[in-house]
Amino acid sequence: MVGHKPIQNTDAELPDRQGFAHFMLKEIYEQPEVVRRCLAAYLKPDWDGQDASVLSTPFNLALPEQVSANVAEIQIVACGTSRHAGLVAQYWLEQLAGIPTRVRSASEFVSGPFPLRANTLTIAVTQSGETADTLAAIAVAKRRSPSDASLQSWSLGITNQPESSLSKAVDYIFPTLAGVEIGVAATKTFLSQLVVFCCLALEFALRRRALSVQDAMPLIGALRSLPDQIETLLNQQHEPIQMLAKIIADTKDCIVLGRGINHAIALEGALKLKETTYLHAEGYASGEFMHGPIALLDATVSVIAIAPAGTVYASMLANARKVKANRAPLIGITNASTQADHAMFDHLLTVPATDERLSPLLTVIPLQLLAYAIAVQRSFDVDRPRNITKTLLT
Ligand code: M6R
């Protein structure tokens, strides 16, 4: 049994597994500390919402008021797991802050950039800050900046390597403070990207008055609770996930379903499964899955349904029922306490309750643990999966 271990700060961290069998597991267990560190850097501890000024927000984000007041559109460019962080962020930026946001794989953006609009903020997300496609995308975005000074544009980098090439290419940089990540599969850096994006979306939402202080307070409280909740989740789910991994290690295919903000987590869970276990895994928006891909199902295909309490819960359960009718082994990830609903799941992984809009920060963790446990079960080199490197420099 491996429990939570304290970690060293950022670059002082030693390349040592500190008692964990693999770096990936160590990095998954570092997540409570990483979230604590990010919140300590970006969220003011004593903000109580009493100052009504639009410039008073709970966040320490060095972004000029001119940007938050004028930004009309956001374009996010990134690859792989970082792109999935962008997809979660798209939901927050649009639904909380009301800013139209588009996300594109950096490699696709280069050949087909979004039509240029005035007052666009381009955000490049990259753990390493060196991914060639992401650097090329930000270069294209900057080259296309409007020559008319009244049509402003800005660039922001979100990276775990603030000294990287990315920082020289953008106007502003937000470090994700996750510490060194050695496992090729991104885990703690993904979670830290989400925390930074969430703070940014709430900052925009408050400054632009898209969200009232009263409505923001519960979300800020929920953010503050996250580190302890992640610790609880890791302690409670470690053993059940080990057992589940043994049961499904030989599954032929794995489908991960999510709706709304957890669609991106379905994509991320499937990516973690693919790159560490070499299983064929796909993430789908669960409503869309019913329009064709459901034909794939039989007793050899495992399905994971991400079903947090809230607006998507009933429709996720309705989709899960159809999956079950096709004999597919069904695994649920939920924080809902409605026991009667859970009977349909062959295996249930519970995560702590939180606001649905913050649920991706918790629902991704059982998927990381499951990918890790299946990879170990299948005796693969978890930290160095075949065919890929930590950073794609070309
Ligand atoms: O360093 P970056 O975040 O730019 O890397 C992007 C992708 O190569 C990376 O997220 C990749 O998908 C990970 N290995 C996923 O675990």
Side-chain angles (χ1 to χ4, degrees):
M1 169 71 192
V2 186
H4 164 74
K5 305 261 177 140
I7 57 168
Q8 304 288 317
N9 202 0
T10 57
D11 292 336
E13 198 175 64
L14 295 171
D16 167 331
R17 294 200 307 269
Q18 298 173 1
F20 288 90
H22 298 94
F23 283 110
M24 181 180 175
L25 189 63
K26 170 178 173 278
E27 287 155 4
I28 290 172
Y29 271 81
E30 284 172 354
Q31 292 180 115
E33 241 359 88
V34 167
V35 174
R36 256 183 215 115
R37 193 185 304 144
C38 270
L39 292 177
Y42 289 113
L43 183 58
K44 296 171 192 161
D46 44 3
W47 191 81
D48 59 5
Q50 294 307 307
D51 181 348
S53 152
V54 79
L55 294 177
S56 165
T57 78
F59 302 103
N60 293 312
L61 291 166
L63 209 54
E65 165 63 6
Q66 184 217 13
V67 180
S68 46
N70 296 326
V71 61
E73 181 165 309
I74 293 176
Q75 55 185 14
I76 298 175
V77 289
C79 301
T81 287
S82 295
R83 186 176 73 89
H84 297 154
L87 290 169
V88 175
Q90 176 183 29
Y91 189 98
W92 286 328
L93 290 162
E94 291 189 334
Q95 306 305 319
L96 296 173
I99 305 173
T101 301
R102 304 194 268 185
V103 184
R104 188 162 293 169
S105 164
S107 53
E108 293 299 319
F109 182 85
V110 174
S111 52
F114 302 120
L116 192 58
R117 302 246 186 100
N119 298 327
T120 292
L121 171 65
T122 303
I123 306 181
V125 196
T126 159
Q127 172 279 129
S128 61
E130 301 292 352
T131 295
D133 285 329
T134 307
L135 294 177
I138 202 79
V140 167
K142 293 208 83 167
R143 260 202 313 277
R144 296 168 75 238
S145 296
S147 45
D148 179 344
S150 66
L151 307 176
Q152 307 166 87
S153 70
W154 310 272
S155 59
L156 166 68
I158 296 181
T159 182
N160 204 38
Q161 301 295 339
E163 306 304 322
S164 61
S165 304
L166 178 74
S167 57
K168 297 177 194 81
V170 291
D171 301 327
Y172 309 101
I173 198 96
F174 291 168
T176 54
L177 309 171
V180 177
E181 186 176 69
I182 291 174
V184 166
T187 53
K188 63 176 180 170
T189 54
F190 174 72
L191 207 65
S192 63
Q193 288 168 347
L194 292 190
V195 173
V196 172
F197 260 132
C198 190
C199 293
L200 178 66
L202 285 167
E203 166 90 351
F204 279 149
L206 285 164
R207 285 197 179 212
R208 295 160 71 92
R209 304 252 194 245
L211 192 69
S212 68
V213 167
Q214 201 185 5
D215 289 340
M217 286 310 259
L219 286 169
I220 290 161
L223 266 179
R224 289 196 171 113
S225 303
L226 269 176
D228 290 351
Q229 290 185 312
I230 298 170
E231 248 158 39
T232 304
L233 192 168
L234 289 169
N235 288 332
Q236 288 178 350
Q237 288 304 325
H238 185 85
E239 290 299 330
I241 288 174
Q242 298 297 313
M243 287 170 61
L244 177 59
K246 287 187 186 141
I247 296 167
I248 67 164
D250 294 324
T251 193
K252 188 167 68 107
D253 301 284
C254 190
I255 304 288
V256 190
L257 300 179
R259 260 180 190 260
I261 197 165
N262 277 290
H263 172 214
I265 299 303
L267 300 178
E268 173 58 10
L271 175 58
K272 286 292 90 94
L273 283 164
K274 275 178 216 167
E275 73 178 328
T276 61
T277 73
Y278 316 149
L279 264 175
H280 174 239
E282 296 298 339
Y284 285 96
S286 93
E288 191 59 28
F289 183 73
M290 304 299 139
H291 296 272
I294 191 168
L296 292 168
L297 297 186
D298 63 22
T300 67
V301 182
S302 298
V303 177
I304 303 175
I306 308 170
T311 57
V312 304
Y313 184 63
S315 41
M316 276 304 303
L317 289 193
N319 294 152
R321 236 169 252 120
K322 290 186 185 156
V323 164
K324 198 66 204 149
N326 288 284
R327 300 181 300 123
L330 183 61
I331 299 150
I333 296 178
T334 190
N335 55 19
S337 53
T338 335
Q339 299 297 330
D341 289 342
H342 298 160
M344 88 171 91
F345 293 108
D346 300 304
H347 306 278
L348 193 66
L349 305 173
T350 50
V351 297
T354 190
D355 187 293
E356 184 182 11
R357 292 164 292 181
L358 297 191
S359 62
L361 291 143
L362 294 167
T363 53
V364 71
I365 294 173
L367 292 162
Q368 297 170 340
L369 283 171
L370 186 62
Y372 170 78
I374 295 176
V376 170
Q377 197 60 37
R378 296 172 74 141
S379 306
F380 294 138
D381 184 349
V382 186
D383 289 330
R384 280 170 302 178
R386 67 188 183 200
N387 306 342
I388 46 174
T389 52
K390 184 75 181 154
T391 307
L392 281 174
L393 296 171
T394 53

